[in-house]
PDB file of all heavy atoms in Angstrom:
ATOM      1  N   LEU A 121      95.556 -71.858  54.730  1.00 97.00           N
ATOM      2  CA  LEU A 121      95.901 -71.898  53.297  1.00 97.00           C
ATOM      3  C   LEU A 121      95.091 -70.872  52.489  1.00 97.00           C
ATOM      4  O   LEU A 121      94.727 -71.102  51.357  1.00 97.00           O
ATOM      5  CB  LEU A 121      95.677 -73.313  52.718  1.00 97.00           C
ATOM      6  CG  LEU A 121      96.470 -74.445  53.380  1.00 97.00           C
ATOM      7  CD1 LEU A 121      96.044 -75.805  52.823  1.00 97.00           C
ATOM      8  CD2 LEU A 121      97.963 -74.247  53.177  1.00 97.00           C
ATOM      9  N   ARG A 122      94.765 -69.762  53.123  1.00 97.00           N
ATOM     10  CA  ARG A 122      93.921 -68.687  52.545  1.00 97.00           C
ATOM     11  C   ARG A 122      92.523 -69.174  52.174  1.00 97.00           C
ATOM     12  O   ARG A 122      91.855 -68.627  51.297  1.00 97.00           O
ATOM     13  CB  ARG A 122      94.582 -68.042  51.334  1.00 97.00           C
ATOM     14  CG  ARG A 122      95.894 -67.371  51.673  1.00 97.00           C
ATOM     15  CD  ARG A 122      96.308 -66.331  50.649  1.00 97.00           C
ATOM     16  NE  ARG A 122      97.532 -65.700  51.097  1.00 97.00           N
ATOM     17  CZ  ARG A 122      98.742 -66.167  50.854  1.00 97.00           C
ATOM     18  NH1 ARG A 122      98.881 -67.280  50.155  1.00 97.00           N
ATOM     19  NH2 ARG A 122      99.800 -65.536  51.291  1.00 97.00           N
ATOM     20  N   GLY A 123      92.089 -70.230  52.846  1.00 98.00           N
ATOM     21  CA  GLY A 123      90.691 -70.636  52.672  1.00 98.00           C
ATOM     22  C   GLY A 123      90.525 -72.005  52.045  1.00 98.00           C
ATOM     23  O   GLY A 123      90.987 -72.237  50.929  1.00 98.00           O
ATOM     24  N   VAL A 124      89.899 -72.920  52.788  1.00 98.00           N
ATOM     25  CA  VAL A 124      89.570 -74.245  52.240  1.00 98.00           C
ATOM     26  C   VAL A 124      88.058 -74.465  52.412  1.00 98.00           C
ATOM     27  O   VAL A 124      87.398 -73.764  53.187  1.00 98.00           O
ATOM     28  CB  VAL A 124      90.347 -75.383  52.953  1.00 98.00           C
ATOM     29  CG1 VAL A 124      91.842 -75.244  52.725  1.00 98.00           C
ATOM     30  CG2 VAL A 124      90.028 -75.449  54.437  1.00 98.00           C
ATOM     31  N   ASP A 125      87.544 -75.453  51.694  1.00 98.00           N
ATOM     32  CA  ASP A 125      86.107 -75.734  51.765  1.00 98.00           C
ATOM     33  C   ASP A 125      85.696 -76.114  53.186  1.00 98.00           C
ATOM     34  O   ASP A 125      86.489 -76.672  53.957  1.00 98.00           O
ATOM     35  CB  ASP A 125      85.745 -76.876  50.805  1.00 98.00           C
ATOM     36  CG  ASP A 125      85.704 -76.397  49.362  1.00 98.00           C
ATOM     37  OD1 ASP A 125      85.779 -75.174  49.132  1.00 98.00           O
ATOM     38  OD2 ASP A 125      85.605 -77.259  48.468  1.00 98.00           O
ATOM     39  N   PHE A 126      84.431 -75.848  53.478  1.00 98.00           N
ATOM     40  CA  PHE A 126      83.929 -75.985  54.848  1.00 98.00           C
ATOM     41  C   PHE A 126      82.531 -76.598  54.800  1.00 98.00           C
ATOM     42  O   PHE A 126      81.698 -76.199  53.988  1.00 98.00           O
ATOM     43  CB  PHE A 126      83.894 -74.573  55.462  1.00 98.00           C
ATOM     44  CG  PHE A 126      83.337 -74.500  56.850  1.00 98.00           C
ATOM     45  CD1 PHE A 126      83.728 -75.390  57.838  1.00 98.00           C
ATOM     46  CD2 PHE A 126      82.421 -73.510  57.185  1.00 98.00           C
ATOM     47  CE1 PHE A 126      83.213 -75.309  59.118  1.00 98.00           C
ATOM     48  CE2 PHE A 126      81.900 -73.408  58.470  1.00 98.00           C
ATOM     49  CZ  PHE A 126      82.312 -74.318  59.431  1.00 98.00           C
ATOM     50  N   VAL A 127      82.300 -77.574  55.668  1.00 98.00           N
ATOM     51  CA  VAL A 127      80.979 -78.215  55.766  1.00 98.00           C
ATOM     52  C   VAL A 127      80.503 -78.116  57.207  1.00 98.00           C
ATOM     53  O   VAL A 127      81.265 -78.387  58.134  1.00 98.00           O
ATOM     54  CB  VAL A 127      81.047 -79.703  55.326  1.00 98.00           C
ATOM     55  CG1 VAL A 127      79.717 -80.408  55.580  1.00 98.00           C
ATOM     56  CG2 VAL A 127      81.438 -79.804  53.857  1.00 98.00           C
ATOM     57  N   GLN A 128      79.257 -77.711  57.395  1.00 98.00           N
ATOM     58  CA  GLN A 128      78.686 -77.605  58.732  1.00 98.00           C
ATOM     59  C   GLN A 128      77.780 -78.809  59.008  1.00 98.00           C
ATOM     60  O   GLN A 128      76.867 -79.105  58.210  1.00 98.00           O
ATOM     61  CB  GLN A 128      77.804 -76.341  58.824  1.00 98.00           C
ATOM     62  CG  GLN A 128      78.545 -75.035  58.810  1.00 98.00           C
ATOM     63  CD  GLN A 128      78.810 -74.509  60.235  1.00 98.00           C
ATOM     64  OE1 GLN A 128      78.810 -75.256  61.223  1.00 98.00           O
ATOM     65  NE2 GLN A 128      79.050 -73.221  60.325  1.00 98.00           N
ATOM     66  N   ILE A 129      78.024 -79.479  60.147  1.00 99.00           N
ATOM     67  CA  ILE A 129      77.082 -80.504  60.637  1.00 99.00           C
ATOM     68  C   ILE A 129      76.673 -80.073  62.051  1.00 99.00           C
ATOM     69  O   ILE A 129      77.258 -80.487  63.051  1.00 99.00           O
ATOM     70  CB  ILE A 129      77.707 -81.925  60.624  1.00 99.00           C
ATOM     71  CG1 ILE A 129      78.316 -82.237  59.250  1.00 99.00           C
ATOM     72  CG2 ILE A 129      76.642 -82.967  61.004  1.00 99.00           C
ATOM     73  CD1 ILE A 129      78.873 -83.652  59.106  1.00 99.00           C
ATOM     74  N   PRO A 130      75.686 -79.171  62.129  1.00 98.00           N
ATOM     75  CA  PRO A 130      75.295 -78.604  63.427  1.00 98.00           C
ATOM     76  C   PRO A 130      74.518 -79.619  64.274  1.00 98.00           C
ATOM     77  O   PRO A 130      73.652 -80.317  63.750  1.00 98.00           O
ATOM     78  CB  PRO A 130      74.399 -77.421  63.033  1.00 98.00           C
ATOM     79  CG  PRO A 130      73.853 -77.786  61.685  1.00 98.00           C
ATOM     80  CD  PRO A 130      74.894 -78.607  61.000  1.00 98.00           C
ATOM     81  N   THR A 131      74.827 -79.662  65.570  1.00 98.00           N
ATOM     82  CA  THR A 131      74.172 -80.647  66.448  1.00 98.00           C
ATOM     83  C   THR A 131      73.400 -80.007  67.601  1.00 98.00           C
ATOM     84  O   THR A 131      72.884 -80.721  68.450  1.00 98.00           O
ATOM     85  CB  THR A 131      75.200 -81.637  67.023  1.00 98.00           C
ATOM     86  OG1 THR A 131      76.132 -80.891  67.831  1.00 98.00           O
ATOM     87  CG2 THR A 131      75.932 -82.401  65.935  1.00 98.00           C
ATOM     88  N   THR A 132      73.359 -78.671  67.689  1.00 98.00           N
ATOM     89  CA  THR A 132      72.448 -78.034  68.656  1.00 98.00           C
ATOM     90  C   THR A 132      71.332 -77.355  67.866  1.00 98.00           C
ATOM     91  O   THR A 132      71.491 -77.047  66.675  1.00 98.00           O
ATOM     92  CB  THR A 132      73.139 -76.954  69.529  1.00 98.00           C
ATOM     93  OG1 THR A 132      73.573 -75.889  68.681  1.00 98.00           O
ATOM     94  CG2 THR A 132      74.302 -77.513  70.320  1.00 98.00           C
ATOM     95  N   LEU A 133      70.224 -77.086  68.576  1.00 98.00           N
ATOM     96  CA  LEU A 133      69.105 -76.407  67.909  1.00 98.00           C
ATOM     97  C   LEU A 133      69.541 -75.020  67.455  1.00 98.00           C
ATOM     98  O   LEU A 133      69.231 -74.587  66.342  1.00 98.00           O
ATOM     99  CB  LEU A 133      67.913 -76.341  68.876  1.00 98.00           C
ATOM    100  CG  LEU A 133      66.624 -75.741  68.322  1.00 98.00           C
ATOM    101  CD1 LEU A 133      66.160 -76.453  67.051  1.00 98.00           C
ATOM    102  CD2 LEU A 133      65.527 -75.787  69.383  1.00 98.00           C
ATOM    103  N   LEU A 134      70.306 -74.317  68.306  1.00 98.00           N
ATOM    104  CA  LEU A 134      70.757 -72.973  67.929  1.00 98.00           C
ATOM    105  C   LEU A 134      71.611 -73.032  66.665  1.00 98.00           C
ATOM    106  O   LEU A 134      71.465 -72.225  65.748  1.00 98.00           O
ATOM    107  CB  LEU A 134      71.541 -72.315  69.068  1.00 98.00           C
ATOM    108  CG  LEU A 134      72.030 -70.901  68.766  1.00 98.00           C
ATOM    109  CD1 LEU A 134      71.875 -69.999  69.969  1.00 98.00           C
ATOM    110  CD2 LEU A 134      73.474 -70.888  68.277  1.00 98.00           C
ATOM    111  N   ALA A 135      72.505 -74.009  66.603  1.00 98.00           N
ATOM    112  CA  ALA A 135      73.386 -74.101  65.436  1.00 98.00           C
ATOM    113  C   ALA A 135      72.589 -74.485  64.192  1.00 98.00           C
ATOM    114  O   ALA A 135      72.865 -74.002  63.092  1.00 98.00           O
ATOM    115  CB  ALA A 135      74.501 -75.105  65.707  1.00 98.00           C
ATOM    116  N   GLN A 136      71.552 -75.330  64.365  1.00 98.00           N
ATOM    117  CA  GLN A 136      70.777 -75.744  63.189  1.00 98.00           C
ATOM    118  C   GLN A 136      69.919 -74.604  62.653  1.00 98.00           C
ATOM    119  O   GLN A 136      69.781 -74.462  61.445  1.00 98.00           O
ATOM    120  CB  GLN A 136      69.918 -76.979  63.529  1.00 98.00           C
ATOM    121  CG  GLN A 136      70.805 -78.205  63.814  1.00 98.00           C
ATOM    122  CD  GLN A 136      70.069 -79.512  63.972  1.00 98.00           C
ATOM    123  OE1 GLN A 136      68.852 -79.557  64.033  1.00 98.00           O
ATOM    124  NE2 GLN A 136      70.814 -80.598  64.053  1.00 98.00           N
ATOM    125  N   VAL A 137      69.355 -73.787  63.535  1.00 98.00           N
ATOM    126  CA  VAL A 137      68.459 -72.733  63.022  1.00 98.00           C
ATOM    127  C   VAL A 137      69.182 -71.417  62.765  1.00 98.00           C
ATOM    128  O   VAL A 137      68.621 -70.524  62.141  1.00 98.00           O
ATOM    129  CB  VAL A 137      67.251 -72.455  63.951  1.00 98.00           C
ATOM    130  CG1 VAL A 137      66.387 -73.693  64.087  1.00 98.00           C
ATOM    131  CG2 VAL A 137      67.678 -71.925  65.306  1.00 98.00           C
TER     132      VAL A 137
END
Side-chain angles (χ1 to χ4, degrees):
L121 301 174
R122 298 201 177 86
V124 296
D125 284 351
F126 177 46
V127 173
Q128 290 265 22
I129 309 184
T131 63
T132 64
L133 184 55
L134 181 140
Q136 294 188 351
V137 298

